[in-house]
């Protein structure tokens, strides 16, 4: 019983530290991530960068519930030559993919890449930068 | 002892922190599971998102044997929803058992196992079930099953440290103490997952998973 109480106390201690660390992480992430101002729209990517003359894809994805999902999607897309950068947004269940200038990936290919990574696509939006 | 557990927890929590038997295409996964009965380590490679093959070593503390197997996981079906995911897997392994136990000392025996597992999770709730039938002839054969439920006290985004409070019930009909319960704390940070728990017999368990 004492050991259980110790684990619980450790958990509470750790959760407190974690909450504090996360607040700082968010602050740092906003500074560390690749930030781009385009037409007054601030685009922040977790990996890679935004090509100012490329295409920005916003893909609504089903089944993303954890960081392993996010990591899988990032790994799959960052292998593609056309991809300049990527962000996985678990809060909004979407993935933002920045394509390089003069490159494109069709909706069918995007959908296949997600399916082959284990996820489903419900919507794809494109924005020419 | 209490101080040791506390310090160990802090140390581990600071360096590590989910658990699917398959990875993304061409991904590698290392996992180790340790409790009062068994220690195991498993390295697997996923050629596709729904299959993985690898090497697994298990050591039984009470029966003093080591099992080396080629382990194969197959994601039979995945259900993706906007805010949830559910999976159904089969797990199987075949290999050899090497025993140091009493009259079975230095004996080698073919061994194999088969099991199914299912899970459903959102970013807030988690539930899973898994079972396993193991056979190595006279040396050891058993059936076991586990149910696990969990809740995340807060929801973090990608890259945050995620925490889960879980409860696991294990059933092993062949054992004297056939049903055990464990509160478990799970930490999940990027590609690291760690679980630490203690069952109703006050036995600690520790699991760790790393994806590459």
């Amino acid at each position: 019983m004492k050991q259980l109480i110790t684990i619980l106390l450790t958990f509470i201690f750790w959760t407190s530290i974690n909450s504090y660390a996360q607040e700082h992480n968010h602050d740092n992430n906003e500074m560390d991530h690749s930030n781009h101002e385009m037409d007054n729209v601030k685009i922040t990517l977790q990996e890679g960068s935004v090509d100012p003359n490329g295409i920005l894809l916003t893909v609504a994805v089903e089944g993303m519930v954890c960081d392993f999902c996010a990591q899988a999607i990032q790994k799959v897309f960052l292998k593609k030559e056309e991809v300049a950068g990527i962000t996985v947004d678990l809060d909004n269940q979407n993935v933002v993919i920045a394509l390089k200038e003069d490159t494109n990936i069709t909706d069918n290919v995007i959908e296949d890449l997600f399916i082959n990574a284990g996820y489903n696509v419900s919507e794809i939006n494109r924005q020419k930068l | 002892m209490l101080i040791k557990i506390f310090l160990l927890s802090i140390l581990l929590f600071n360096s590590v922190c989910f658990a699917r038997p398959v990875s993304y295409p061409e991904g590698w996964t290392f996992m180790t599971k340790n409790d009062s009965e068994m220690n195991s380590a498993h390295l697997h490679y996923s050629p596709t998102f729904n299959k993985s093959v690898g090497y697994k070593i298990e050591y039984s503390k009470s029966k003093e044997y080591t099992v080396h197997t080629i382990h194969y996981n197959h994601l039979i079906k995945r259900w993706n929803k906007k805010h949830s995911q559910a999976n159904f897997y089969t797990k199987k392994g075949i290999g050899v058992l090497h025993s140091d136990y009493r009259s079975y000392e230095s004996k080698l025996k073919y061994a194999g196992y088969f099991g199914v597992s299912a899970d459903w999770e959102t970013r807030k709730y988690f539930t899973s079930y898994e079972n396993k039938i193991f056979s190595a002839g006279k040396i050891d054969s058993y059936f076991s099953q586990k149910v696990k439920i969990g809740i995340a006290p807060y929801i973090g985004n990608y890259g945050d440290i995620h925490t889960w409070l879980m409860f696991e019930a294990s059933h092993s009909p062949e054992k004297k103490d056939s049903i055990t319960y464990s509160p478990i704390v799970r930490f999940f940070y990027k590609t690291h997952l760690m679980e630490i728990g203690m069952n109703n017999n006050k036995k600690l368990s520790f699991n760790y998973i790393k994806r590459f």
Side-chain angles (χ1 to χ4, degrees):
Chain A
M1 194 61 191
K2 281 182 182 174
Q3 288 176 325
L4 200 59
I5 290 168
T6 307
I7 286 178
L8 284 172
L9 286 172
T10 305
F11 168 71
I12 292 164
F13 174 74
W14 174 247
T15 306
S16 309
I17 291 176
N18 181 32
S19 304
Y20 176 78
Q22 278 182 14
E23 281 176 26
H24 280 254
N25 269 344
H26 281 302
D27 293 345
N28 291 335
N29 286 345
E30 280 179 18
M31 287 191 292
D32 293 345
H33 285 169
S34 176
N35 295 332
H36 299 265
E37 296 268 357
M38 286 169 210
D39 301 329
N40 298 322
V41 178
K42 191 178 180 183
I43 303 162
T44 303
L45 296 182
Q46 291 158 343
E47 292 286 340
S49 58
V50 176
D51 189 320
N53 300 311
I55 295 172
L56 205 62
L57 307 170
T58 304
V59 186
V61 182
E62 295 176 337
M64 293 196 306
V65 290
C66 70
D67 279 23
F68 277 176
C69 308
Q71 185 211 15
I73 291 164
Q74 283 195 345
K75 292 262 184 187
V76 166
F77 277 90
L78 287 171
K79 283 181 185 170
K80 299 291 290 181
E81 281 185 9
E82 299 91 334
V83 174
I86 187 168
T87 274
V88 179
D89 185 348
L90 293 176
D91 284 339
N92 296 306
Q93 295 290 296
N94 65 36
V95 176
V96 176
I97 302 163
L99 300 184
K100 292 175 186 167
E101 185 180 359
D102 296 330
T103 65
N104 200 359
I105 308 180
T106 64
D107 286 2
N108 286 341
V109 172
I110 296 277
E111 226 166 299
D112 285 347
L113 286 167
F114 274 98
I115 287 169
N116 290 334
Y119 305 92
N120 293 66
V121 169
S122 57
E123 192 180 347
I124 301 173
N125 289 311
R126 290 168 179 272
Q127 182 191 350
K128 179 78 181 83
L129 299 173
Chain B
M1 181 64 182
L2 294 177
I3 292 169
K4 279 182 185 172
I5 293 169
F6 181 82
L7 291 174
L8 180 67
S9 304
I10 295 295
L11 181 69
L12 294 171
F13 294 172
N14 276 315
S15 58
V16 290
C17 277
F18 226 129
R20 297 218 177 93
V22 292
S23 183
Y24 55 84
E26 300 176 16
W28 288 84
T29 304
F30 169 77
M31 53 179 82
T32 176
K33 297 182 177 183
N34 306 278
D35 58 30
S36 59
E37 299 282 326
M38 202 78 92
N39 298 117
S40 73
H42 179 193
L43 179 70
H44 72 68
Y45 171 76
S46 289
T48 64
F49 82 95
N50 60 353
K51 294 178 179 71
S52 76
V53 63
Y55 166 72
K56 187 175 183 179
I57 179 168
E58 288 179 286
Y59 177 70
S60 168
K61 293 176 184 173
S62 56
K63 297 191 175 177
E64 296 177 25
Y65 64 71
T66 306
V67 187
H68 304 265
T69 50
I70 299 297
H71 184 98
Y72 175 68
N73 293 321
H74 189 189
L75 170 61
I76 303 291
K77 175 74 179 170
R78 173 172 284 175
W79 294 267
N80 285 318
K81 300 291 178 191
K82 187 167 172 57
H83 297 291
S84 69
Q85 186 186 98
N87 300 284
F88 179 71
Y89 302 92
T90 60
K91 302 171 179 184
K92 50 201 113 172
I94 189 160
V96 292
L97 179 152
H98 178 261
S99 175
D100 283 329
Y101 187 64
R102 293 182 184 170
S103 56
Y104 298 121
E105 188 160 336
S106 297
K107 277 198 171 175
L108 278 176
K109 191 92 181 169
Y110 289 113
Y113 52 83
F114 175 81
V116 299
S117 73
D119 61 60
W120 173 86
E121 63 185 282
T122 66
R123 295 177 67 203
K124 180 83 178 167
Y125 304 105
F126 173 88
T127 182
S128 70
Y129 167 83
E130 66 176 319
N131 65 24
K132 181 180 178 182
I133 299 169
F134 175 87
S135 177
K138 290 177 181 175
I139 296 178
D140 198 14
S141 294
Y142 63 83
F143 169 78
S144 65
Q145 55 186 347
K146 287 180 182 176
V147 178
K148 193 184 270 186
I149 56 170
I151 183 166
Y154 60 90
I155 295 176
N157 211 332
Y158 179 47
D160 293 339
I161 298 172
H162 305 266
T163 306
W164 288 81
L165 301 178
M166 314 189 99
F167 182 80
E168 183 180 270
S170 302
H171 178 223
S172 305
E174 286 85 4
K175 289 180 188 167
K176 187 181 173 187
D177 195 4
S178 62
I179 298 178
T180 57
Y181 308 96
S182 305
I184 292 169
V185 183
R186 171 186 280 185
F187 294 99
F188 187 15
Y189 177 64
K190 291 185 176 176
T191 57
H192 304 269
L193 180 149
M194 186 192 76
E195 293 178 340
I196 186 163
M198 183 188 285
N199 70 15
N200 53 316
N201 296 322
K202 297 181 180 175
K203 302 288 186 188
L204 282 169
S205 64
F206 172 72
N207 305 325
Y208 172 72
I209 298 174
K210 163 72 179 165
R211 279 198 174 173
F212 305 92

